[in-house]
Amino acid sequence: MTQDLSLPRYAVIGNPVEHSRSPQIHALFSAQTGKPLQYERLLAPLDGFAATVQAFREQGGLGLNVTVPFKEAARDLAGEHLSERARLAGAVNTLWLRDGQWHGCNTDGVGLVSDLLRLGVVLEGARVLLVGAGGAARGVLQPLADAGCARIQIVNRNAQRAHDLAASWAAAGARPGTHVTAGALSEARTPGGWNVVVNATASSLQGAAPELPKQLYAPDALAYDMMYAPHPTPFMRQATADGAARTADGLGMLVGQAAESFLIWHGVRPDPSPVLTTLRAALLAQG
């Protein structure tokens, strides 16, 4: 790809990174907002994140989206220059230079919340089941609490990891008006069912669904998979069979978190809706 060195330079960094849709997303945001930029993919060696970022900076790089497996390394790189969201998430997916120092934020949770609201979910007072206890789950805890969820139950195949996540999140100084509990996958049921069930595991990438009990869903409940695909994921199919009224995948979350990164970098919030429509059409065409 020919680079225009006069344009502000941004990139997505990860390993692997070749399938990232971020360049297309940010090109569409750029066209929509009239903010010219160049945006590329950076493949970093597993042991070479900091060196790759430094080389990018020396070549004029101003900001990075960070994907697996480098979100914790990006947090360490930003040091004390973390947003509250990044501090509570324990991970960074957005880096930008300010006064010669990398600053970090985590926009994943904002992306999830914005997509749930787009889908018409009422989060104020909602009961939410969060499946998984890794970085993806931790990154969305505080934004869900900030959105007014009454209860969040974290469940995981290894129940201790779920309990550890709940405890470490609270110890980090979170301000929960939300009741947060934890347990094993088998403890996922609640009287009256959940309003929202979020799959924050990567199970769908392995062609499987989490081993969840049945009768999880309240009337008009939404099952949301952070993964996305041309067709309903295994988790979405499982949820439909269990009585979920609606299902959605994580493509809208991807676009939403990118929109928040774009706002941080450029001071303009793009409209995710037409970009999501374009990406969905491209995804269906591939499927």
Side-chain angles (χ1 to χ4, degrees), residues 129 153 155-159 183-190 210-214 216:
L129 180 69
Q153 164 96 337
V155 294
N156 193 59
R157 184 171 55 184
N158 181 331
L185 295 178
S186 60
E187 300 174 284
R189 288 195 192 94
T190 194
E211 296 179 2
L212 292 166
K214 296 186 182 301
L216 290 181

Side-chain angles (χ1 to χ4, degrees), residues 105-186:
C105 187
N106 190 305
T107 66
D108 287 331
V110 174
L112 172 63
V113 167
S114 66
D115 200 39
L116 292 175
L117 296 176
R118 178 188 67 84
L119 292 164
V121 175
V122 178
L123 291 174
E124 187 70 37
R127 300 183 303 276
V128 177
L129 180 69
L130 188 57
V131 185
R138 182 174 183 126
V140 302
L141 266 174
Q142 188 62 36
L144 285 170
D146 288 341
C149 296
R151 181 184 173 198
I152 301 172
Q153 164 96 337
I154 307 164
V155 294
N156 193 59
R157 184 171 55 184
N158 181 331
Q160 188 57 52
R161 288 196 67 197
H163 286 289
D164 291 346
L165 172 55
S168 64
W169 176 70
R175 302 171 301 280
T178 303
H179 182 49
V180 177
T181 55
L185 295 178
S186 60

Side-chain angles (χ1 to χ4, degrees), residues 17-149:
V17 77
E18 64 270 14
H19 299 302
S20 172
R21 297 180 184 271
S22 293
Q24 181 185 8
I25 293 171
H26 284 273
L28 291 167
F29 286 161
S30 173
Q32 180 192 118
T33 60
K35 291 283 187 179
L37 55 87
Q38 59 173 318
Y39 191 106
E40 63 204 271
R41 297 178 181 90
L42 280 181
L43 176 65
L46 293 177
D47 60 351
F49 173 76
T52 304
V53 172
Q54 180 62 25
F56 174 74
R57 175 178 178 173
E58 290 171 357
Q59 295 162 14
L62 299 175
L64 288 160
N65 288 127
V66 183
T67 186
V68 292
F70 297 125
K71 293 184 180 183
E72 291 185 359
R75 174 203 63 198
D76 295 341
L77 185 67
E80 297 179 356
H81 301 280
L82 295 176
S83 70
E84 183 71 355
R85 291 197 301 241
R87 190 182 67 80
L88 289 170
V92 159
N93 77 337
T94 304
L95 288 167
W96 67 99
L97 276 173
R98 181 191 296 163
D99 300 327
Q101 171 64 48
W102 287 111
H103 291 245
C105 187
N106 190 305
T107 66
D108 287 331
V110 174
L112 172 63
V113 167
S114 66
D115 200 39
L116 292 175
L117 296 176
R118 178 188 67 84
L119 292 164
V121 175
V122 178
L123 291 174
E124 187 70 37
R127 300 183 303 276
V128 177
L129 180 69
L130 188 57
V131 185
R138 182 174 183 126
V140 302
L141 266 174
Q142 188 62 36
L144 285 170
D146 288 341
C149 296

Side-chain angles (χ1 to χ4, degrees), residues 124-271:
E124 187 70 37
R127 300 183 303 276
V128 177
L129 180 69
L130 188 57
V131 185
R138 182 174 183 126
V140 302
L141 266 174
Q142 188 62 36
L144 285 170
D146 288 341
C149 296
R151 181 184 173 198
I152 301 172
Q153 164 96 337
I154 307 164
V155 294
N156 193 59
R157 184 171 55 184
N158 181 331
Q160 188 57 52
R161 288 196 67 197
H163 286 289
D164 291 346
L165 172 55
S168 64
W169 176 70
R175 302 171 301 280
T178 303
H179 182 49
V180 177
T181 55
L185 295 178
S186 60
E187 300 174 284
R189 288 195 192 94
T190 194
W194 302 100
N195 304 116
V196 183
V197 178
V198 177
N199 181 25
T201 77
S203 61
S204 291
L205 294 179
Q206 282 82 51
E211 296 179 2
L212 292 166
K214 296 186 182 301
Q215 300 177 329
L216 290 181
Y217 295 92
D220 198 35
L222 173 72
Y224 192 98
D225 197 337
M226 286 190 184
M227 302 295 108
Y228 61 88
H231 307 291
T233 66
F235 169 75
M236 293 164 67
R237 296 196 299 271
Q238 175 196 67
T240 298
D242 190 33
R246 299 177 291 157
T247 63
D249 70 12
L251 191 63
M253 176 181 172
L254 175 69
V255 177
Q257 64 82 24
E260 190 72 12
S261 293
F262 195 93
L263 172 65
I264 290 170
W265 291 338
H266 306 292
V268 176
R269 184 185 297 279
D271 180 1

